[in-house]
């Protein structure tokens, strides 16, 4: 049976399918229809244009529309617009947009306001009488507005200027465009129509070509390089190529079968025809459009205008059907599918053979065979394939087509596909099948796994299952072994006679197995519904999860296809994944292709790769992906804009910087991201330097900052499209001026005043405290003086008492000569004592004389029992000042408590030495018995106490720091007293 020759039933099926196909052609896979639910206000849409920032402007019957890919902004009567039916919203270089209505009431939009002829009288320079036309000079950036039948002049806009250009022709003329100050127009002569250019600089008219006919209409390309003339009289179009300074060259002409509505030559020189009855026809490059096969789309939609933006996305304005948009990737896919004449029904199974043919099964009972650039559609029995062709596989020379419970085994011959044999599985739903031997096949069904011979035409209802239970996928390893996938894990069938054993793995044991693919080196890839992709080693039983960044971790993997040993493709519910492995099946790189890459839907059901093209069956139609290289093609980078800033009642449009007062510290910002192919799926990243250094990501285009403090800020904004491609950074400097009390000079002034006040306060406190401390010190010094005078008063009688006691001793012994000598020395000592006791400081020479006089007097008393030594280093000046009468009490103490206790001869050493730090060291030593009880208290008496008090008083009065130390058992066996006296200057001797 040759399936390439359909019978009557097949013809009826094809007729039904064709009617269904035509009914859904208005919906192009991947096309987005913007309606009033999205904010698009127009019932009828007119011309589409794009401004220098990338925003789309649309004229509608309900106002002008600005679109950034996420939000529509409508300019209507609420913004002072007089006429709501805007044919063209034409952006002018510099931010102004000319709003051109059907007839009069010309206006323009600038900085958020609509300016009418009441505000700008220059708009009245053009008095449109029939129909306004708008043209944009791509070279100069000017926008020209002309009446339908120009007889006097044109109005052109450039930046902030509006100029009327006076042109006068003897006959009515129609303007078709302006390019580089040359006006392209047609003038109706008696029998012919002249098409030419008028140079605004030289005021000269040059003829391009002439055409005879009734009311010919000219359509100029955006760059003025081509023109198409439509002759409604015989429904014919003629294409010309225009070269500046030369005559136009006729390219081709063609008669049409239907009346056209509009002709568009887009920025890529592609020709589009819209028809009065509906639909848009794409003819490709205008230079070869006559040879190209016309492709008709949207037959039941009246298309008013076609526009191709800078990223090659397509825009269609319609009557009653909203604004239609299709991205460059989806349009590329639509062309590839359309040119291959593939049906638009929902495909299910897909495969290919070694000859490069592609077979696609659909949700309806027919099979498409794509052979080269042609596609043949083969109808199948609606009874057998009522639920569609679910499985299509290529095994050797057979193409196996599976329905719900039927398998058709076909062979490709010279005349096409022919049925080899058919196999029915009564009562079972086939999920997967594979050949295990020459004539035997393994079937996975919802009731188990069976091994059958399809040549028997039907399955034995009593055939015992090889594996009982629901099976979803099978993978024969050899004639005996097979992997069986179930909704409840993976099973290994080692032979046809033994039960299948479940693979024990923490992840796979509960996974829903959906697909298998055999790889090299005993590996099998296992796809699951939510667990991702796994690698199973049939030799060792090792299971490993295949995962890395970009892998379909939780996707439903419906098919695994190996293009070669290391390149694998996955069809999942989240798009197509391309995985590159190494020789050990370790993943090296992963790439994904989703809806935004041109697929009709990311929910893919199967795929087949032929050379550099991937054919994908999706839930919304067939997708054709050209794989250009191993890496992703370049996607256009989005553009980020800070569109408006609102502070209170003030509003700025596209501000370059903001200078605000301290009261204007609540800032509301609106953002836009130009990434139309993302269909609004964009994110924004922003940070306000001066407030935070952290980037914040949001999906909302509106952000706000409240209570900003005075200072310098920098708002940085980036846009991120669906692919994660990040735009350049948009920058807005914000300067919030402080109030006068927040300025630096005010703070410095107040700081200086506060510092002065604090200084005065501290100065007053310090002075008061110093006065108090001074009085306190004066009191202490006065007390110390009184104490010193009391000590001196105590010293005088003490000496007198000691001396008289010695004289009494000699008189008692009737030794009168010593008494006389004693009286002479005593008188001298009394004179020194009376003199020095009145002095606070004396020289070292005076101290030396005083000590020698005292020791001579004591020598008379002790006689040969006492020997004394007074040594002063020669380098010490005798004019050095020392405290008065400070050393004598320690010498006296050494005699009374040291020498007097000896039975043998006693000695006293007084030494004065100059230390390295300039201090004087005075030591008094004796060879007496020393301190017997181990404490200095045993040696204390009135003289010692007086001397110690005197040293303490000197320290208090003059801050000298005199130190006294007493050490028992010195080098001579007695007691050693050490006095350390700092240098004393004359200024230190004053209170």
């Amino acid at each position: 049976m040759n399936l390439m020759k359909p019978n009557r039933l097949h013809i009826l099926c094809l007729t039904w399918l064709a009617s269904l196909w035509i009914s859904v052609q208005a919906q192009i896979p991947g096309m987005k229809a913007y309606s009033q639910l999205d904010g698009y206000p127009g019932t009828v849409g007119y011309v589409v244009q794009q401004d220098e920032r990338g925003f789309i402007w649309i004229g509608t019957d309900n106002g002008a529309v600005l679109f950034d890919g996420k939000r529509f902004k409508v300019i209507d009567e609420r913004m002072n617009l007089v006429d709501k039916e805007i044919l063209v919203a034409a952006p002018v270089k510099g931010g102004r947009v000319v709003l051109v209505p059907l007839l009069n009431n010309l206006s323009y939009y600038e900085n958020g306001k609509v300016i009418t002829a009441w505000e700008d009288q220059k708009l009245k320079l053009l008095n449109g009488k029939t129909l306004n036309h708008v043209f944009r000079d791509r070279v100069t950036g000017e926008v020209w507005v002309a009446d339908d039948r120009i007889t006097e002049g044109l109005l052109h806009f450039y930046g902030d200027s509006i100029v009327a250009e006076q042109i006068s022709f003897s006959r009515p003329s129609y303007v078709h465009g302006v390019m580089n100050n040359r006006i392209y127009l047609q003038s109706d002569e008696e029998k012919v129509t002249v098409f030419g250019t008028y140079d605004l600089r030289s005021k000269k008219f040059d003829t391009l070509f002439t055409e005879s006919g009734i009311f010919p209409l000219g359509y100029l390309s955006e760059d003025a390089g081509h023109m198409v003339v439509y002759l409604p009289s015989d429904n014919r179009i003629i294409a010309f190529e225009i070269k500046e300074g030369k005559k136009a060259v006729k390219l081709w002409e063609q008669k049409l079968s239907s009346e056209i509505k509009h002709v568009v030559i887009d920025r890529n020189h592609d020709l589009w025809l819209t028809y009065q009855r509906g639909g848009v026809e794409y003819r490709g490059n205008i230079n070869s459009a006559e040879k190209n096969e016309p492709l008709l789309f949207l037959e039941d939609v009246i298309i008013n205008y076609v526009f191709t933006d800078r990223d090659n996305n397509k825009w269609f304005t319609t009557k009653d059907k909203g604004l239609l948009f299709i991205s460059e990737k989806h349009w590329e896919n639509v062309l590839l599918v359309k040119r291959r004449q593939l049906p638009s029904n929902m495909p299910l199974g897909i495969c290919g053979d070694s000859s490069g043919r592609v077979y696609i099964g659909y949700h309806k009972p027919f099979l498409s065979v794509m052979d080269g650039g042609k596609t043949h559609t083969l109808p199948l029995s609606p009874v057998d394939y009522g639920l569609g062709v679910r499985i299509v596989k290529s095994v050797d020379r057979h193409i196996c087509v599976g329905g719900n419970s039927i398998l058709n085994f076909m062979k490709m011959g010279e005349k096409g596909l022919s049925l080899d044999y058919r196999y029915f599985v009564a009562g079972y739903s086939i999920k997967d099948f594979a050949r295990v031997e020459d004539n035997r096949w393994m079937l996975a069904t919802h009731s188990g796994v069976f091994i059958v011979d399809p040549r028997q035409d039907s399955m034995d209802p009593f055939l015992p299952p090889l594996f009982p239970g629901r099976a979803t996928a099978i993978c024969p390893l050899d004639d005996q072994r097979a992997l069986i996938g179930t909704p409840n894990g993976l099973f290994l069938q080692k032979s046809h006679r033994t039960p299948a054993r479940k693979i024990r793995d923490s992840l796979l044991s509960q996974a829903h197995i959906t697909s298998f693919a055999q790889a090299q080196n005993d590996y099998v890839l296992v796809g699951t519904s939510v667990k991702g992709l796994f690698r199973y080693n049939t030799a060792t039983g090792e299971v490993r999860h295949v995962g890395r960044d970009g892998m379909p971790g939780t996707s439903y993997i419906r098919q695994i296809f190996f293009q070669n040993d290391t390149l694998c493709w996955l069809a999942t519910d989240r798009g197509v994944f391309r995985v590159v492995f190494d020789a050990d099946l370790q993943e090296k790189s992963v790439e994904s292709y989703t809806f935004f890459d041109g697929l009709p839907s990311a929910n893919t059901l199967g795929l087949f790769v032929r050379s550099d093209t991937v054919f994908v069956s999706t839930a919304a139609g067939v997708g054709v992906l050209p794989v250009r290289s191993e890496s992703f093609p370049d996607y256009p980078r989005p553009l980020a804009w800070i569109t408006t800033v609102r502070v209170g009642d003030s509003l700025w449009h596209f501000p370059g910087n903001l200078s605000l007062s301290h009261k204007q510290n609540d800032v509301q910002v609106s953002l836009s991201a130009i990434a139309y192919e993302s269909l609004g799926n964009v994110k924004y990243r922003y940070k306000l330097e001066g407030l935070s250094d952290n980037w914040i990501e949001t999906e909302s285009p509106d952000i706000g900052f409240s209570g900003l403090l005075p200072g310098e800020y920098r708002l940085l904004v980036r846009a991120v499209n669906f692919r994660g491609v990040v735009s350049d950074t948009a920058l807005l400097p914000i300067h919030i001026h402080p109030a006068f009390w927040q300025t630096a000079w005010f703070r410095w002034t107040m700081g200086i005043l506060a510092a002065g006040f604090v200084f005065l306060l501290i100065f007053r406190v310090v002075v008061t405290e110093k006065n108090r401390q001074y009085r306190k010190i004066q009191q202490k010094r006065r007390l110390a003086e009184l104490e010193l005078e009391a000590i001196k008063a105590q010293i005088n009688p003490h000496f007198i008492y000691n001396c008289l006691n010695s004289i009494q001793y000699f008189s008692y012994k009737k030794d009168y000569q010593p008494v006389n000598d004693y009286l002479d020395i005593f008188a001298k000592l009394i004179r020194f004592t009376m003199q020095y006791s009145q002095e606070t400081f004396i020289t070292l020479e005076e101290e030396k004389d005083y000590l020698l006089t005292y020791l001579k007097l004591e020598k008379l008393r002790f006689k040969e029992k006492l020997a004394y030594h007074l040594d002063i280093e020669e380098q010490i000046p005798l004019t050095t000042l020392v405290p008065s009468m400070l050393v004598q009490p320690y010498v006296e103490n050494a005699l009374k408590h040291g020498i007097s206790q000896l039975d043998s001869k006693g000695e006293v050493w007084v030494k004065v030495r100059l230390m390295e730090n300039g201090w004087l060291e005075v030591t008094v030593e004796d060879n007496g018995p020393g301190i017997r009880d181990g404490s200095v208290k045993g040696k204390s008496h009135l003289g010692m106490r007086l001397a110690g008090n005197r040293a303490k008083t000197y320290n208090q009065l003059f801050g000298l720091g005199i130190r006294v130390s007493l050490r028992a058992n010195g080098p001579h066996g007695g007691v050693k007293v050490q006095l350390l006296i700092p240098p004393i200057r004359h200024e230190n001797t004053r209170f």
Side-chain angles (χ1 to χ4, degrees):
M1 174 179 171
N2 192 338
L3 295 184
M4 285 299 187
K5 297 180 179 180
N7 55 26
R8 186 174 182 181
L9 176 62
H10 292 158
I11 294 175
L12 292 175
C13 293
L14 285 175
T15 304
W16 170 73
L17 291 171
S19 63
L20 177 64
W21 181 36
I22 293 174
S23 68
V24 299
Q25 277 301 293
Q27 299 300 323
I28 299 178
M31 176 170 281
K32 169 68 176 178
Y34 293 102
S35 65
Q36 292 184 357
L37 296 177
D38 303 295
Y40 178 72
T43 303
V44 180
Y46 297 112
V47 177
V48 181
Q49 293 200 17
Q50 189 174 22
D51 65 19
E52 57 188 353
R53 294 187 177 100
F55 291 86
I56 295 295
W57 290 87
I58 310 160
T60 76
D61 63 339
N62 200 20
V65 176
L66 167 65
F67 187 46
D68 64 356
K70 196 177 185 73
R71 293 189 296 189
F72 289 92
K73 180 178 181 180
V74 182
I75 302 168
D76 52 18
E77 74 279 2
R78 292 169 295 182
M79 302 181 70
N80 200 32
L81 192 64
V82 178
D83 190 347
K84 291 176 60 175
E85 187 162 11
I86 302 298
L87 297 181
V88 183
V92 183
K93 189 174 183 180
R96 179 177 291 182
V97 180
V98 181
L99 305 177
V100 183
L102 183 65
L103 295 176
N104 297 316
N105 302 320
L106 194 68
S107 59
Y108 60 85
Y109 174 83
E110 190 171 40
N111 295 326
K113 298 179 181 179
V114 174
I115 307 300
T116 66
W118 295 99
E119 289 85 11
D120 194 337
Q121 297 295 319
K122 290 183 178 180
L123 293 173
K124 296 181 179 180
L125 295 175
L126 179 70
N127 186 15
K129 298 177 181 179
T130 54
L131 182 65
N132 288 325
H133 292 280
V134 183
F135 312 97
R136 187 188 189 113
D137 191 329
R138 289 180 58 180
V139 176
T140 65
E142 296 180 359
V143 170
W144 296 77
V145 183
D147 197 4
D148 197 21
R149 296 169 62 85
I150 178 173
T151 56
E152 295 182 357
L154 302 91
L155 196 66
H156 73 271
F157 298 78
Y158 184 75
D160 297 333
S161 64
I162 303 175
V163 179
E165 190 73 38
Q166 297 297 323
I167 303 175
S168 180
F169 293 98
S170 58
R171 293 180 177 85
S173 301
Y174 302 87
V175 178
H176 296 303
V178 182
M179 183 64 62
N180 197 18
N181 287 310
R182 294 173 69 89
I183 302 176
Y184 292 77
L185 48 81
Q186 71 179 66
S187 178
D188 295 328
E189 305 292 343
E190 293 182 0
K191 296 182 180 180
V192 297
T193 299
V194 178
F195 293 84
T197 62
Y198 179 82
D199 194 322
L200 293 168
R201 291 161 294 195
S202 63
K203 309 298 182 181
K204 181 181 178 182
F205 180 82
D206 294 321
T207 301
L208 293 174
F209 60 91
T210 60
E211 188 64 39
S212 60
I214 302 175
F215 305 120
L217 301 175
Y219 299 91
L220 190 68
S221 63
E222 291 186 24
D223 62 353
H226 294 84
M227 179 178 282
V228 170
V229 176
Y230 174 58
L231 291 88
S233 57
D234 58 354
N235 203 32
R236 181 165 48 97
I237 59 174
I238 308 172
F240 293 91
E241 182 182 9
I242 302 173
K243 296 182 180 181
E244 188 174 358
K246 298 181 180 180
K247 296 287 185 179
V249 178
K250 183 177 179 179
L251 295 176
W252 50 266
E253 67 176 285
Q254 193 174 62
K255 188 173 180 59
L256 303 177
S257 60
S258 181
E259 185 179 0
I260 67 172
K261 181 179 180 67
H262 194 66
V263 177
V264 174
I265 308 169
D266 68 14
R267 63 187 306 111
N268 298 324
H269 300 105
D270 288 339
L271 178 62
W272 302 78
L273 306 178
T274 66
Y275 287 93
Q276 295 283 359
R277 58 177 171 78
V280 59
E281 189 174 83
Y282 174 75
R283 295 206 165 203
N285 191 276
I286 189 173
N287 293 304
S288 56
E290 182 187 19
K291 302 176 182 177
N292 298 336
E293 179 184 0
L295 301 178
L296 185 63
F297 303 93
L298 306 169
E299 291 94 324
D300 58 348
V301 180
I302 297 178
I303 306 296
N304 290 331
Y305 194 78
V306 181
F307 178 72
T308 300
D309 64 22
R310 295 174 198 156
D311 295 325
N312 292 322
N313 305 310
K314 314 300 178 186
W315 303 81
F316 305 87
T317 56
T318 71
K319 180 181 179 181
D320 303 329
K321 298 297 183 180
L323 174 67
L324 305 181
F325 168 83
I326 186 168
S327 69
E328 178 192 19
K329 298 296 180 184
H330 283 105
W331 178 247
E332 185 179 84
N333 179 76
V334 167
L335 292 181
L336 291 172
V337 172
K338 191 80 171 177
R339 285 168 177 164
R340 287 172 170 81
Q341 301 175 349
L342 291 172
S344 60
N345 295 79
M346 176 180 170
L348 294 175
I350 186 170
C351 76
D353 60 19
S354 58
S355 299
R357 288 181 287 263
V358 181
Y359 306 87
I360 305 174
Y362 290 86
H363 197 269
K364 300 298 180 181
F366 62 86
L367 179 72
S368 290
V369 181
M370 189 169 18
D371 191 357
K374 298 181 180 180
T375 300
H376 306 284
T377 300
L378 298 113
L380 301 172
S381 170
V383 177
D384 298 334
Y385 289 91
L387 298 179
V389 181
R390 303 176 60 185
I391 304 173
V392 182
K393 284 191 174 183
S394 174
V395 182
D396 291 341
R397 294 173 298 170
H398 283 96
I399 300 299
C400 305
V401 181
N404 186 45
S405 59
I406 185 174
L407 292 175
N408 278 336
F409 295 83
M410 304 179 186
K411 285 186 177 180
M412 177 62 71
E414 294 181 358
K415 297 182 179 181
L417 277 177
S418 61
L419 181 65
D420 194 358
Y421 47 87
R422 179 178 301 180
Y423 189 80
F424 290 94
V425 185
Y428 297 113
S429 177
I430 301 174
K431 303 299 180 182
D432 194 9
F433 60 90
R435 192 174 70 175
V436 291
E437 297 175 1
D438 288 342
N439 296 320
R440 297 213 301 172
W441 293 71
M442 183 178 290
L443 302 183
T445 73
H446 75 283
S447 297
V449 176
F450 301 90
I451 295 181
V452 299
D453 187 347
R455 293 175 299 177
Q456 298 176 357
D457 288 339
S458 64
M459 177 178 170
D460 184 356
F462 300 103
L463 180 69
L466 182 65
F467 173 82
R470 186 180 183 88
T472 54
I474 55 175
C475 179
L477 304 178
D478 50 40
D479 289 344
Q480 294 294 320
R481 295 187 306 153
L483 289 176
I484 302 173
T486 74
N488 193 32
L490 177 65
F491 289 79
L492 174 63
Q493 184 81 44
K494 290 189 175 181
S495 71
H496 296 171
R497 298 179 181 179
T498 58
R501 178 178 61 84
K502 190 173 186 178
I503 302 299
R504 299 297 176 184
D505 181 77
S506 59
L507 293 176
L508 276 182
S509 60
Q510 301 298 323
H512 178 189
I513 309 300
T514 58
S515 54
F516 293 108
Q518 285 188 299
Q520 57 180 336
N521 300 332
D522 297 325
Y523 286 117
V524 175
L525 289 184
V526 182
T528 67
S529 62
V530 296
K531 302 292 186 179
L533 186 67
F534 292 84
R535 186 189 72 179
Y536 177 74
N537 191 312
T538 60
T540 64
E542 175 195 12
V543 177
R544 189 181 71 84
H545 186 260
V546 179
R548 62 180 289 128
D549 292 342
M551 286 293 291
T554 58
S555 297
Y556 192 116
I557 301 177
R558 294 191 171 93
Q559 183 180 349
I560 306 171
F561 180 87
F562 271 98
Q563 186 175 355
N564 53 49
D565 290 341
T566 59
L567 180 56
C568 175
W569 297 82
L570 307 177
T572 77
D573 62 343
R574 297 185 182 180
V576 172
F577 291 83
R578 181 179 184 273
V579 186
V580 178
F581 295 98
D582 60 15
D584 296 326
L585 216 66
Q586 298 285 342
E587 60 274 18
K588 295 171 58 179
S589 64
V590 179
E591 297 171 356
S592 64
Y593 298 84
T594 66
F595 171 81
F596 296 102
D597 297 289
L599 291 177
S601 171
N603 187 11
T604 61
L605 309 174
L607 58 84
F608 175 74
V609 184
R610 184 180 68 183
S611 183
D612 58 353
T613 305
V614 183
F615 300 90
V616 187
S617 61
T618 77
V622 177
V624 181
L625 288 175
V627 183
R628 297 176 176 87
S629 63
E630 292 188 358
S631 60
F632 287 117
D634 291 333
Y635 290 90
R637 295 186 67 181
L639 298 174
W641 294 101
I642 301 173
T643 53
T644 61
V645 176
R646 180 177 293 278
V647 181
D649 295 332
S650 300
L651 183 65
W652 292 268
H653 293 264
F654 298 98
N657 58 75
L658 287 180
S659 181
L660 308 173
S661 70
H662 68 282
K663 295 181 180 180
Q664 297 175 303
N665 58 354
D666 293 334
V667 181
Q668 304 298 320
V669 181
S670 292
L671 311 175
S672 288
I674 306 301
Y676 299 111
E677 68 281 354
S678 296
L679 299 177
N681 295 293
V682 295
K683 296 180 180 180
Y684 303 93
R685 296 175 186 171
Y686 69 92
K687 69 175 177 178
L688 186 62
E689 291 183 349
L691 180 65
S692 174
D693 291 330
N694 298 324
W695 286 94
I696 300 174
E697 187 168 277
T698 179
E699 294 182 357
S700 173
D702 298 312
I703 59 177
F705 307 96
S706 300
L708 294 177
L709 298 176
E712 298 287 343
Y713 300 92
R714 282 163 39 100
L715 177 60
L716 283 74
V717 176
R718 296 172 182 169
V720 185
N721 69 2
F722 71 96
R723 272 287 185 190
V725 180
V726 182
S727 70
D728 292 332
T729 302
L731 171 65
L732 175 62
I734 303 175
H735 176 60
I736 299 181
H737 296 277
F740 74 90
W741 61 83
Q742 295 174 315
T743 58
W745 68 265
F746 181 82
R747 288 196 296 266
W748 274 103
T749 303
M750 295 305 296
I752 292 173
L753 292 176
F757 176 77
V758 172
F759 175 77
L760 291 176
L761 182 62
I762 294 175
F763 180 77
R764 182 178 179 84
V765 171
V766 169
V767 169
T768 303
E769 180 64 20
K770 281 188 175 182
N771 291 335
R772 190 180 66 82
Q773 292 292 336
Y774 179 74
R775 290 193 297 269
K776 186 176 180 180
I777 292 172
Q778 289 296 97
Q779 291 174 357
K780 287 184 177 181
R781 287 191 173 185
R782 183 57 183 164
L783 290 175
E785 291 178 28
L786 294 174
E787 183 180 355
L788 184 59
E789 291 178 0
I791 292 172
K792 292 176 181 179
Q794 289 175 338
I795 290 174
N796 291 335
H798 177 68
F799 270 107
I800 295 171
Y801 172 78
N802 287 339
C803 292
L804 291 178
N805 190 36
S806 297
I807 294 172
Q808 183 183 11
Y809 172 77
F810 286 115
S811 298
Y812 177 77
K813 294 179 63 176
K814 298 181 180 181
D815 191 357
Y816 299 110
Q817 184 61 38
V819 171
N820 293 330
D821 296 336
Y822 206 106
L823 286 174
D824 290 337
I825 299 174
F826 174 70
K828 184 177 180 181
L829 183 61
I830 290 298
R831 187 175 69 251
F832 284 153
T833 300
M834 296 299 292
Q835 178 182 351
Y836 296 155
S837 64
Q838 302 300 317
E839 300 289 339
T840 305
F841 296 96
I842 60 176
T843 64
L844 184 58
E845 184 179 9
E846 292 173 332
E847 182 69 21
K848 174 183 176 183
D849 293 341
Y850 181 71
L851 289 176
L852 287 175
T853 303
Y854 171 72
L855 288 171
K856 287 179 181 179
L857 187 63
E858 292 291 357
K859 176 69 174 175
L860 291 175
R861 185 164 67 94
F862 286 99
K863 295 183 180 181
E864 298 302 327
K865 190 179 179 181
L866 173 64
Y868 61 85
H869 309 277
L870 178 58
D871 295 327
I872 299 176
E873 291 184 349
E874 294 182 358
Q875 66 268 28
I876 301 176
L878 295 179
T879 57
T880 302
L881 296 179
V882 294
S884 176
M885 301 177 67
L886 182 63
V887 182
Q888 186 271 336
Y890 295 104
V891 177
E892 180 184 354
N893 191 70
L895 295 175
K896 184 174 181 180
H897 296 281
I899 303 304
S900 62
Q901 304 297 323
L902 295 176
D903 295 333
S904 59
K905 183 179 181 180
E907 290 186 78
V908 175
W909 293 269
V910 179
K911 298 180 181 179
V912 181
R913 185 176 66 88
L914 182 64
M915 302 176 66
E916 293 182 357
N917 59 0
W919 286 44
L920 290 180
E921 180 190 36
V922 181
T923 57
V924 180
E925 301 180 40
D926 65 76
N927 62 344
I931 300 175
R932 295 173 183 173
D933 58 359
S935 67
V936 297
K937 291 182 180 180
K939 280 289 185 179
S940 64
H941 68 294
L942 180 60
M944 290 287 288
R945 289 198 302 274
L946 293 177
N949 290 338
R950 193 169 190 183
K952 183 177 179 181
T953 303
Y954 272 104
N955 291 337
Q956 290 179 349
L957 287 174
F958 305 102
L960 295 180
I962 299 173
R963 297 197 291 269
V964 181
S965 62
L966 181 67
R967 182 164 59 88
N969 300 320
H972 301 287
V975 176
K976 178 179 180 181
V977 178
Q978 182 187 47
L979 291 88
L980 297 179
I981 304 171
I984 299 173
R985 298 185 298 273
H986 286 284
E987 55 267 23
N988 296 127
T989 61
R990 303 170 186 173
F991 291 118

